[in-house]
Amino acid sequence: LKKPRDPSPEFRSSAPSTVGATAGRRGFSLVEVTFGIGLIMFAALVIFSLLPVGLVYLQDSNRQIVETEIFNTVGAELASTPYEQLASYQSTRFPVYFNNEGIEVDADEDPIFTVRCNAPVAEAGGETSRMTVLIGFRRDPAGSDADGKVTKRTFLLVDRGI
């Protein structure tokens, strides 16, 4: 085999020699690729670990929105009920059942929310009454609310003489 000829001095580069670790380097080393993939996987792990927490907060906020709609509906019904009929209204109307969109359903239609109302408590010489409305999420609010799945609001109803 013939040995390649040494280029003439006028064609030699004045740049430093590239012999060694950087000679002919055109891509990333295995260590750099492994480090990059590890960094991306760590970031993905952090993002995906926050996903369940975000979904829990989303479900909780949706539940609160529907409960607020239910409270508004029941409160409007109580306000439009004649004052003398509040006691009988409480015993004949409740419990009331709602689905996950806040629409009233029958008890056999797998309700998500169960609404109960306590008997009216007369105040201020009988011209006002307090009624507490309880909403149970996937349970009947008649039991204990120790697990936090029962929300309650108290409405002050005034005898307007109508």
Side-chain angles (χ1 to χ4, degrees):
L1 291 173
K2 289 186 177 182
K3 191 174 181 183
R5 255 180 18 151
D6 190 27
S8 59
E10 62 259 9
F11 293 113
R12 286 190 189 158
S13 171
S14 61
S17 172
T18 57
V19 177
T22 59
R25 183 172 179 192
R26 294 184 180 192
F28 296 106
S29 70
L30 182 61
V31 172
E32 291 170 333
V33 170
T34 305
F35 181 73
I37 290 173
L39 194 60
I40 290 171
M41 293 305 291
F42 178 75
L45 179 70
V46 169
I47 290 171
F48 288 125
S49 68
L50 293 175
L51 194 60
V53 174
L55 290 175
V56 167
Y57 282 118
L58 178 66
Q59 289 174 343
D60 191 44
S61 66
N62 286 339
R63 181 185 56 81
Q64 289 176 357
I65 289 169
V66 173
E67 284 179 354
T68 301
E69 291 175 7
I70 293 170
F71 277 127
N72 290 340
T73 301
V74 172
E77 284 181 22
L78 290 173
S80 65
T81 302
Y83 189 78
E84 300 79 29
Q85 298 174 6
L86 285 176
S88 64
Y89 180 78
Q90 178 267 337
S91 61
T92 58
R93 174 78 168 115
F94 295 96
V96 182
Y97 305 97
F98 291 87
N99 66 8
N100 61 341
E101 295 177 358
I103 299 171
E104 190 172 337
V105 296
D106 292 329
D108 59 349
E109 294 181 38
D110 194 30
I112 303 295
F113 298 96
T114 304
V115 181
R116 290 198 178 268
C117 184
N118 292 342
V121 177
E123 291 189 9
E127 295 180 5
T128 60
S129 290
R130 281 183 295 127
M131 289 187 79
T132 302
V133 176
L134 301 128
I135 297 179
F137 177 65
R138 296 195 185 274
R139 59 169 302 184
D140 191 345
S144 168
D145 63 346
D147 62 358
K149 299 211 177 194
V150 174
T151 309
K152 60 174 116 175
R153 288 193 187 160
T154 301
F155 292 92
L156 182 63
L157 304 167
V158 180
D159 184 6
R160 293 175 284 163
I162 47 176

